Amino acid sequence: MPNLLITGGAGFIGANFVRYWNEKYPNDSLVILDALTYSGNMANLSGLTDFSFFRGDIRDTSLVERLLHDHEVDTIVHFAAESHVDRSINGPDAFIETNLSGTHSLLKAAKSVWLDKGSGKPHRFHHISTDEVYGSLGPNDPPFSETTAYAPNSPYSASKAGSDHIVRAYHHTFGLQTTTTNCSNNYGPYQFPEKLIPLFIINCLTGKDLPIYGDGMNVRDWLHVEDHCRGIDLVLEKGRIGETYNVGGGAELPNVAVIDAICAGVDAAFEHDSQLGRRFPDAPAARGKKSEFLKTHIADRLGHDRRYAIDERKIREELGYEPVRTFEQGFQETLGWYLANEDWWRATMDGSYLKWMASNYSERARRT
Ligand code: NAD
Ligand code: TDX
C-alpha cells in the first residue's frame, strides 16, 4: 500500500491527480504539500477528506524530510511549480526559485531520507514536466520524442528543463529511483483562469474580449487532465526507473481552432439552456449574438513557441497508454464543468488576479 507525497496537490493538475488517485486507490495514504500560491486553492480539493494537507514550500528541505519520515512516504509525485509562461516573461525569478531550486530541494530531502538514512527500500520520485523543454517545431518537423534535444525558449521552460536535468543527475549519480513525464497542454476542471481554455470560456460568458496572441496559428497538443493522470499512474506502476515518458492528448490544434470550438460550444450551450442567458446577461450569446465577435488579435507573446507535438510511441508501446477522450469530448465536459461551477471561478478572480490580467493584457495592447 503506497504512501504518496503529492507536491502542488492544490493546483490544477495536482488536485485532479488527488481526485483520480483517491477514487482508484482509496486505501493509499495521501499527503499533500502545497504553498497555496495564487494558483493553489483548497477549493480544488473540496468534497475530499481522505488526505493530510500541509501548507509549506518545497524549498523547505527539513519540512519535506519530516513529512517523508513521519508519513513513511515511499512515492513523491512532484507537481508543484510556477506554471504560466506569461508570468515567467514578466518575472522569471520565482520560476528559477520554485522550479529549479525547489525541485533540487525535494531531491535532497528524498536522497537524505530514502538513501542516506533509509533502508534501501524501493521508492519513487516522479517528476512532472512539460513538452515545452524541447522548444518549438516547424510545421513539418517530426513530433517531440524522449530523445529530442532540449531547447527551451521561455524562462518557464528553461526552469523546467533545468529541473529535469537535476532529476536525471540524482538518478544517475546517487541512484535515486526517478521517473519523469513530459506532457503537453492540459485542460479540464479546476484550471486557473489565466490559461487559454478557461480564460476564453469565462470571457465568452462575461462578454469580454478574447485576446488572441499574434496570428493565433500556434499549435498545441491538448491533453485532458484525467488522461494525463492515467499516464502518470501507468508510469508509477510500470515505468522503468531513470526513464522519461512523453504524454500527449493526440489532439494537435492551432489556437484559432480551439478558440472557434470554445465560441461554438458556448453559443450552443446558450441555445439549449435558456437559464444561461439569465445567469450571464453580458454574454453575446445571451442576446442571440455569436461569441466569435469577441475575438481580438493582440501583440504576440515574446518568444512565442510556434508548435508543440508529441510522439507518444514510447508510453503507448511500453506501458499501453492512450488518451481515452477526443478533444471534442474533453472540451464539452470541461465547458459543462465551468458552466456548473461559476462560484469556483468567480472566487479565483480576486484583486491580485485582476491586477495581473490588467498588466499582462494592457502591455500587449500597447504593443499591438
Ligand atoms: P498550477 O499553477 O495550477 O499549480 C501549481 C501548484 O503548485 C499550486 O497549487 C501552487 O500553490 C503550488 N506551488 C507553487 N510553488 C510552490 C512551492 N514553492 N512549494 C509548494 N507548492 C508550490 O500548475 P498546473 O497546471 O497544475 O501544473 C502542475 C505541473 O505540471 C507543473 O510542474 C507544470 O510545469 C506541469 N505541466 C503543466 C501543464 C499544463 O498544461 N498545465 C503542461 C505540462 C506540464
Ligand atoms: O490570452 C491568451 N491568448 C492566447 O492566444 C492566452 C492565455 C494564451 N494564448 C495562446 C498562447 C499559447 O499559444 O494560447 C496557447 C496556450 O497558452 P497557455 O494556456 O498559456 O499555455 P502554454 O503557454 O502553451 O503552456 C501550457 O502548456 C504547457 C502550460 O501553461 C504550461 O504549464 C505547460 O508546461
Side-chain angles (χ1 to χ4, degrees):
M1 201 171 82
N3 296 334
L4 277 70
L5 173 68
I6 299 169
T7 72
F12 160 50
I13 307 176
N16 276 285
F17 183 79
V18 171
R19 290 176 182 280
Y20 170 95
W21 203 269
N22 218 284
E23 169 136 13
K24 188 153 177 211
Y25 307 105
N27 295 326
D28 287 0
S29 141
L30 301 184
V31 177
I32 299 174
L33 172 64
D34 196 297
L36 297 180
T37 66
Y38 77 92
S39 67
N41 184 351
M42 288 308 285
N44 295 357
L45 298 165
S46 68
L48 299 176
T49 48
D50 223 0
F51 61 86
S52 310
F53 183 86
F54 295 87
R55 183 173 189 175
D57 198 308
I58 54 169
R59 288 170 297 173
D60 186 344
T61 313
S62 54
L63 167 66
V64 176
E65 284 183 13
R66 217 166 42 246
L67 293 178
L68 295 179
H69 178 267
D70 293 354
H71 296 267
E72 296 179 35
V73 170
D74 50 34
T75 305
I76 296 175
V77 190
H78 174 36
F79 295 95
E82 289 292 335
S83 68
H84 192 36
V85 174
D86 290 326
R87 288 185 192 247
S88 84
I89 296 165
N90 206 20
D93 299 63
F95 287 74
I96 304 302
E97 282 296 320
T98 292
N99 300 356
L100 207 51
S101 300
T103 300
H104 183 225
S105 182
L106 270 183
L107 287 162
K108 280 195 291 185
K111 173 177 175 289
S112 162
V113 174
W114 287 339
L115 299 181
D116 303 342
K117 300 179 202 144
S119 58
K121 274 199 309 196
H123 56 264
R124 182 72 69 87
F125 186 108
H126 183 72
H127 176 54
I128 307 297
S129 192
T130 171
D131 59 359
E132 300 198 16
V133 298
Y134 300 117
S136 184
L137 294 169
N140 300 316
D141 288 340
F144 302 131
S145 78
E146 291 77 1
T147 54
T148 302
Y150 274 33
N153 289 319
S154 71
Y156 164 71
S157 53
S159 67
K160 293 296 290 187
S163 68
D164 296 5
H165 292 322
I166 305 176
V167 172
R168 177 188 159 90
Y170 265 66
H171 167 67
H172 187 81
T173 304
F174 302 117
L176 198 70
Q177 294 168 6
T178 65
T179 41
T180 296
T181 40
N182 294 80
C183 68
S184 58
N185 283 57
N186 283 223
Y187 68 99
Y190 302 103
Q191 187 167 29
F192 192 77
E194 62 187 353
K195 308 279 166 59
L196 180 74
I197 289 184
L199 176 68
F200 278 39
I201 290 175
I202 291 168
N203 282 10
C204 285
L205 297 177
T206 53
K208 299 210 175 72
D209 284 351
L210 304 177
I212 304 171
Y213 298 165
D215 64 3
M217 291 306 291
N218 306 70
V219 172
R220 300 290 184 265
D221 172 15
W222 292 94
L223 168 64
H224 190 275
V225 65
E226 200 182 80
D227 280 330
H228 181 197
C229 291
R230 272 189 316 100
I232 299 167
D233 186 1
L234 283 169
V235 174
L236 288 173
E237 185 197 349
K238 301 191 273 192
R240 284 183 291 134
I241 300 298
E243 290 292 318
T244 69
Y245 294 87
N246 288 352
V247 188
E252 224 191 289
L253 294 168
N255 291 341
V256 287
V258 173
I259 294 162
D260 285 345
I262 295 171
C263 292
V266 169
D267 293 351
F270 275 69
E271 271 170 34
H272 288 117
D273 180 353
S274 57
Q275 293 293 328
L276 291 178
R278 282 191 279 282
R279 283 177 55 204
F280 301 107
D282 296 325
R287 299 185 298 279
K289 297 212 159 58
K290 286 189 178 298
S291 300
E292 68 178 12
F293 291 118
L294 296 171
K295 291 199 279 187
T296 314
H297 287 266
I298 61 169
D300 211 348
R301 174 182 277 173
L302 296 176
H304 198 177
D305 285 337
R306 194 64 174 168
R307 174 176 166 238
Y308 305 139
I310 292 268
D311 176 345
E312 71 346 322
R313 273 176 298 180
K314 181 173 174 183
I315 192 166
R316 179 159 40 85
E317 287 167 12
E318 274 190 28
L319 310 182
Y321 168 80
E322 60 179 341
V324 299
R325 285 175 180 77
T326 62
F327 179 74
E328 290 69 26
Q329 291 164 334
F331 172 70
Q332 275 310 320
E333 283 175 34
T334 303
L335 174 60
W337 189 87
Y338 280 87
L339 289 172
N341 288 279
E342 181 183 355
D343 290 350
W344 178 88
W345 52 262
R346 288 221 187 262
T348 65
M349 299 161 89
D350 61 6
S352 80
Y353 171 85
L354 297 173
K355 199 168 150 206
W356 154 254
M357 295 302 277
S359 77
N360 186 40
Y361 291 98
S362 63
E363 189 274 330
R364 279 163 209 287
R366 267 199 306 281
R367 284 199 284 122
T368 305

